[in-house]
Amino acid sequence: MFLAIMGFLMIFVIIYGLLQSKVHPVAIFAIVPIVAAIICGFDFVHISAFIKTGVAKTMPVAVLFIFSIEYFSIMSEVGLFDPMVKFLVKKAGSNVILVTVATGCIATVAHLDGALASTLLITIPAMLPIYKKLHMRPVVICVIIGAAMSIMNLMPWGGPVARVGVVLNTDVNQLWHVLIPLQIIGLCLVLAFAFFMGVVEKKRGAGLNPTGKAAELDEDTSFIKKTDSKEAESLKRPKLLWFNALLTAGVIGLLCFTKIQLYAAFMIGLAIALMVNFPDAKMQAQRIKAHADAALSVPMILLASGVFLGVLSGTKMMEAMAQVMITIIPNVLGPYLHLIMGFFAVPFGMMLGTDSYFFGLMPLAIGVGKQYGIDPMNMAHAMLVGKNFGVLVTPHAATTFLACGLAGIELKDLLKFCTPYLWVLSWISLIIAILLGIIII
């Protein structure tokens, strides 16, 4: 019980500190878990082992962030996205709704590989200039991506479905076949939600000639470092447009169709981009340095969050927390435990993270549910459908910080804006799953 209390307290302090923005996330993630572990009686030998394990989990995404931000920053300054931005803005005109619906379509297609990081890396850099052109809030891109990937994560190669397959010891394709009707309707739900967000932004004054609150957005919120107009123009490489486009397509192809590490794909792409666009070694160093602030600040947070993940898992706080969350449910609600777990899946997932949720909480929930006659598959479906909508708003997930960095927004703004929308969407998806007979009451 003591471990559970400390776990909940640790998460509360971390989330509170992040939302208050009075202390840098690196300090919060590095200090709070260590203090909690010491209070729980662990010595520095054990704590260092926890940190090593946790940082090892976040290291690949931190490296990915460094090279991907450098790559997309350079692609932006050489003018790769300029033709697309001009084309979409010309076609959309002041039609903000068309832009948000297009965001939903791009995010849906981009998430075919089941990797949230690559979805963010494909969608945000492509759409962010258009959002800024139309004075739309960048956080809207994130919430639409969150909705799209939540539905696309139901694919058999998606991480959540794979984890459920392991927990249930069942074939993931068989699991997916049951979810196909929900996924089809869910895709329509995503487009409807994107349409709704376009209406919201339009009411705020977004558009080519904005007059409302949306026009007050800071133009410097992008992760791309701004330069003066003369310098910016000198960095354009219109003659290399097709080369850069093919290079970017090749990098994305590596992400989607090979098993190469995501960061390795961007390492290769960045190296080629620098050599071709800026043949001079001194110029290459200048371009890397120009984007170093954005490329290094968030990876530091990612690496520090590994301390939290390592302590949460290594101290067994996660297991203790999961047990407490199950046992506090009154017996009278036992037969409806799967609905309760599905209803609160987003906040539970935000607290525990993906692996802790599926491998810690779900097995315990299934075990308790059996006592009340709830089929394990029924419990798994409810928890899976609900949890997917919380992936992008998990405060200690590496991809959450990746989304913030790419969109140029603060974590507190992402959580405050996206969480309510995504939680409501999870409820709607649960209702649809019940109506389809996927989840049985």
Side-chain angles (χ1 to χ4, degrees):
M1 177 61 73
F2 180 71
L3 282 175
I5 294 174
M6 284 304 303
F8 284 118
L9 182 61
M10 178 178 69
I11 291 176
F12 172 79
V13 172
I14 288 175
I15 293 177
Y16 178 80
L18 292 172
L19 293 177
Q20 291 298 309
S21 297
K22 293 182 178 180
V23 181
H24 195 277
V26 169
I28 295 174
F29 279 123
I31 300 299
V32 176
I34 293 176
V35 173
I38 292 174
I39 295 175
C40 290
F42 292 92
D43 57 33
F44 283 101
V45 175
H46 289 96
I47 294 175
S48 63
F50 301 156
I51 294 174
K52 181 179 179 180
T53 301
V55 171
K57 294 180 180 179
T58 59
M59 180 73 76
V61 180
V63 177
L64 163 67
F65 194 96
I66 293 173
F67 286 94
S68 63
I69 292 301
E70 286 282 357
Y71 180 82
F72 280 116
S73 295
I74 289 174
M75 285 296 104
S76 179
E77 67 184 11
V78 299
L80 173 62
F81 303 117
D82 290 354
M84 180 178 63
V85 171
K86 292 177 181 178
F87 173 79
L88 289 178
V89 170
K90 181 179 179 180
K91 290 295 182 180
S94 59
N95 193 338
V96 175
I97 295 175
L98 183 61
V99 173
T100 55
V101 171
T103 303
C105 294
I106 293 173
T108 299
V109 174
H111 203 66
L112 282 171
D113 65 345
L116 178 55
S118 59
T119 303
L120 295 170
L121 292 166
I122 292 169
T123 309
I124 295 179
M127 298 304 297
L128 186 59
I130 302 172
Y131 274 65
K132 289 186 173 298
K133 181 75 174 180
L134 299 178
H135 296 271
M136 299 166 65
R137 292 171 293 180
V139 73
V140 174
I141 305 179
C142 296
V143 75
I144 294 175
I145 291 175
M149 57 77 55
S150 299
I151 297 300
M152 293 304 292
N153 256 357
L154 296 177
M155 301 295 282
W157 54 83
V161 174
R163 289 175 175 87
V164 172
V166 171
V167 172
L168 294 177
N169 193 27
T170 186
D171 181 67
V172 291
N173 281 326
Q174 181 181 355
L175 185 64
W176 176 53
H177 288 162
V178 179
L179 298 171
I180 289 177
L182 173 62
Q183 196 170 25
I184 293 174
I185 297 177
L187 293 176
C188 298
L189 177 63
V190 170
L191 296 180
F193 176 67
F195 181 93
F196 168 75
M197 291 310 303
V199 173
V200 171
E201 287 301 281
K202 193 171 183 179
K203 288 183 177 180
R204 294 184 70 254
L208 286 178
N209 298 298
T211 57
K213 187 177 180 182
E216 300 173 5
L217 286 174
D218 181 1
E219 287 297 324
D220 284 335
T221 55
S222 171
F223 67 88
I224 299 172
K225 185 176 178 65
K226 300 297 179 180
T227 56
D228 59 64
S229 57
K230 290 184 178 180
E231 182 184 359
E233 193 61 32
S234 68
L235 295 174
K236 301 294 183 183
R237 298 291 187 270
K239 294 182 179 179
L240 294 174
L241 176 64
W242 283 108
F243 172 82
N244 288 322
L246 291 174
L247 176 61
T248 302
V251 171
I252 294 174
L254 288 176
L255 298 178
C256 298
F257 305 113
T258 72
K259 295 182 179 180
I260 188 174
Q261 290 288 342
L262 295 179
Y263 59 78
F266 281 104
M267 281 183 180
I268 297 171
L270 177 61
I272 297 174
L274 285 171
M275 289 188 295
V276 174
N277 288 278
F278 307 104
D280 181 65
K282 186 176 180 180
M283 189 64 172
Q284 294 170 7
Q286 289 177 349
R287 300 328 308 153
I288 292 176
K289 184 178 179 180
H291 309 292
D293 288 345
L296 293 176
S297 59
V298 174
M300 290 179 64
I301 298 175
L302 298 180
L303 295 174
S305 69
V307 178
F308 166 76
L309 295 176
V311 169
L312 183 67
S313 176
T315 59
K316 306 298 182 183
M317 286 183 188
M318 179 272 295
E319 296 179 8
M321 291 164 59
Q323 292 175 352
V324 168
M325 286 191 290
I326 292 297
T327 56
I328 61 176
I329 298 176
N331 290 332
V332 68
L333 298 178
Y336 308 101
L337 179 61
H338 58 308
L339 300 180
I340 295 172
M341 297 304 297
F343 184 87
F344 291 105
V346 169
F348 283 169
M350 290 174 66
M351 285 192 296
L352 295 176
T354 301
D355 287 334
S356 300
Y357 180 89
F358 285 107
F359 296 132
L361 181 61
M362 182 175 284
L364 292 173
I366 289 175
V368 175
K370 286 181 180 179
Q371 300 177 18
Y372 297 98
I374 300 175
D375 183 80
M377 186 69 75
N378 203 23
M379 176 68 78
H381 282 156
M383 295 183 69
L384 170 64
V385 171
K387 166 64 176 69
N388 271 346
F389 286 89
V391 173
L392 195 61
V393 288
T394 301
H396 50 81
T399 47
T400 301
F401 290 101
L402 180 62
C404 291
L406 289 170
I409 58 179
E410 294 185 18
L411 177 62
K412 65 177 182 179
D413 295 327
L414 178 77
L415 297 180
K416 289 180 180 179
F417 184 86
C418 297
T419 303
Y421 284 118
L422 294 176
W423 198 1
V424 171
L425 286 174
S426 76
W427 298 342
I428 296 175
S429 296
L430 283 172
I431 293 173
I432 295 174
I434 292 172
L435 294 176
L436 293 173
I438 297 174
I439 298 175
I440 302 173
I441 300 179

